[in-house]
Amino acid sequence: MITEDDEKGEHHYTLTFGELYTASQKCAEELARRGVPPGGRVSLMLPTSRQFFICYAGILLAGRCRCRFIPRFRADRIEEYAERQSAILNNAVFACC
């Protein structure tokens, strides 16, 4: 069971392993289609949600390295946040197994 919050309140969802695998395969295929090479870095900037689990698994299935950022920012400071996260990604070094 996955709990997600939105402006309308809290919602509970299920995600079977089959659903996760199918959706993650599509994510992995999209990464390859967009030219992200095996071992390439992928920034994952999502709150904990169904989409987070699907993307996380898709990145791993595709053989890419993930770097997760938790999107906690104020809308009026989005440019500053984006610049800071870009700098972190540009300096990131990952060891993928």
Side-chain angles (χ1 to χ4, degrees):
M1 175 98 40
I2 299 170
T3 302
E4 295 180 5
D5 294 322
D6 63 21
E7 59 278 348
K8 296 179 183 176
E10 192 174 89
H11 302 279
H12 302 281
Y13 301 97
T14 58
L15 181 64
T16 67
F17 284 113
E19 292 167 338
L20 175 64
Y21 183 76
T22 299
S24 298
Q25 276 295 108
K26 289 179 184 177
C27 177
E29 291 166 5
E30 184 62 21
L31 289 171
R33 188 187 74 74
R34 290 178 180 240
V36 180
R41 291 177 273 178
V42 178
S43 175
L44 183 53
M45 187 180 214
L46 293 169
T48 303
S49 62
R50 288 174 295 170
Q51 286 303 316
F52 169 80
F53 291 110
I54 289 167
C55 292
Y56 183 86
I59 291 166
L60 296 178
L61 282 173
R64 278 53 176 191
C65 298
R66 67 104 187 139
C67 182
R68 180 179 183 208
F69 291 101
I70 301 172
R72 293 188 181 123
F73 59 86
R74 292 181 16 199
D76 62 338
R77 298 179 74 181
I78 187 71
E79 190 173 321
E80 175 188 328
Y81 181 81
E83 288 175 14
R84 185 173 58 247
Q85 299 311 319
S86 292
I88 291 170
L89 281 175
N90 286 332
N91 290 316
V93 177
F94 299 95
C96 294
C97 301

